[in-house]
Amino acid sequence: NIKKNIFFLNNVSCLPNLKKIIVSGSCLEYGSHNGLCRENKTYKSNSFFSFSKNTIREFLQMICEEKKIDYVWFRFFYVYGLNQRKNSIISTIIDNLVNKKNIKIKNPAAKNDYVYIDDVIDAIVKSININKINSIINIGTGKTTSNYDLIRKLENLLSKGNELSKKIQKNIKNKKLLSKKSHNLNSKKIINWLPQYNVDQGLKKILKLKGFM
């Protein structure tokens, strides 16, 4: 994948009149670091995925500097929205609550920084319309939500009581798990972006679009 991506970016950079390259990266590039993730800090990779992403980004930075092409490397945190893959945590919880299925969540206390798809699209559009960007930009809310809290929020929105959350709560063994959350200085400073949806608003919109509310 590293070779293929570098080959692709190298060929793209040779296109005539190319002004900017925008790439979708991941918060997992921050490796084993937990807590507030800052774009200007270097963190050690802890997986082949984070290593490969960082390697590709470094190549992109080098080739864009050499050819005087603008680039934006987005580090998206946990993107969610309508038509998300069926085995994602939010889709799984909704399906369970609506269809009264059994669900097993290995780590109810695990937390993620969830960012709604409309906010992600807004960030990309803004980056297209701004010149002279050569930056890594985090896209997240800067706040984390646990799997257990997702269940409680969806139970409330769907008026499904609290049977599932009570069952899940018994499995919470470690309430102090660390997690990654976005530092949004670059998004605000460079593309004038801040998230418009919190998790409650995003979940509510999904349920309305699905016809459950």
Side-chain angles (χ1 to χ4, degrees):
N1 283 340
I2 294 177
K3 286 184 178 180
K4 288 181 180 178
N5 278 282
I6 287 176
F7 178 78
F8 172 76
L9 289 172
N10 189 53
N11 284 335
V12 167
S13 71
C14 296
L15 292 172
N17 303 317
L18 179 69
K19 296 181 179 180
K20 183 183 296 178
I21 297 175
I22 299 173
V23 178
S24 168
S26 166
C27 64
L28 297 181
E29 292 168 44
Y30 288 111
S32 59
H33 174 76
N34 286 303
L36 202 60
C37 297
R38 301 174 185 270
E39 298 100 332
N40 62 347
K41 298 288 185 181
T42 301
Y43 303 103
K44 187 177 180 180
S45 298
N46 67 340
S47 66
F48 181 74
F49 178 83
S50 59
F51 169 78
S52 61
K53 280 286 189 181
N54 283 311
T55 301
I56 294 163
R57 174 184 52 76
E58 287 174 6
F59 173 80
L60 176 70
Q61 290 173 321
M62 179 187 69
I63 200 75
C64 285
E65 184 177 344
E66 178 185 316
K67 298 189 176 183
K68 294 180 171 52
I69 299 167
D70 289 350
Y71 76 88
V72 181
W73 185 280
F74 281 118
R75 281 180 177 160
F76 295 123
F77 281 66
Y78 290 82
V79 183
Y80 69 102
L82 186 67
N83 297 324
Q84 191 175 7
R85 67 183 190 277
K86 291 182 178 180
N87 63 344
S88 69
I89 185 67
I90 291 176
S91 297
T92 300
I93 295 169
I94 292 172
D95 182 52
N96 174 271
L97 290 171
V98 171
N99 297 303
K100 297 180 180 179
K101 296 180 180 178
N102 291 323
I103 183 174
K104 289 184 179 180
I105 295 180
K106 292 181 180 179
N107 205 333
K111 295 181 177 182
N112 291 311
D113 183 344
Y114 293 98
V115 56
Y116 189 60
I117 185 62
D118 286 10
D119 281 330
V120 170
I121 293 169
D122 181 49
I124 295 170
V125 171
K126 285 186 174 181
S127 73
I128 291 171
N129 296 322
I130 297 175
N131 296 323
K132 303 299 179 184
I133 303 177
N134 294 286
S135 297
I136 300 167
I137 299 178
N138 285 341
I139 298 297
T141 64
K143 298 178 181 179
T144 58
T145 305
S146 70
N147 291 335
Y148 172 77
D149 287 334
L150 284 176
I151 293 169
R152 287 296 297 125
K153 290 175 186 296
L154 287 164
E155 281 178 331
N156 290 333
L157 289 169
L158 290 166
S159 300
K160 293 292 183 179
N162 62 355
E163 183 180 344
L164 178 59
S165 57
K166 276 187 174 181
K167 189 185 299 182
I168 295 296
Q169 192 174 30
K170 295 177 182 178
N171 298 324
I172 298 179
K173 296 178 182 179
N174 185 356
K175 296 183 179 180
K176 295 182 179 180
L177 285 176
L178 297 174
S179 56
K180 294 174 174 59
K181 60 181 178 180
S182 176
H183 183 266
N184 289 336
L185 180 62
N186 276 6
S187 68
K188 184 178 180 181
K189 182 180 178 181
I190 298 172
I191 61 173
N192 192 31
W193 178 93
L194 284 174
Q196 300 302 305
Y197 289 84
N198 60 33
V199 171
D200 295 271
Q201 292 167 326
L203 293 176
K204 189 173 183 179
K205 185 165 183 179
I206 291 173
L207 295 177
K208 283 185 175 180
L209 291 170
K210 286 178 172 288
F212 296 146
M213 291 185 70

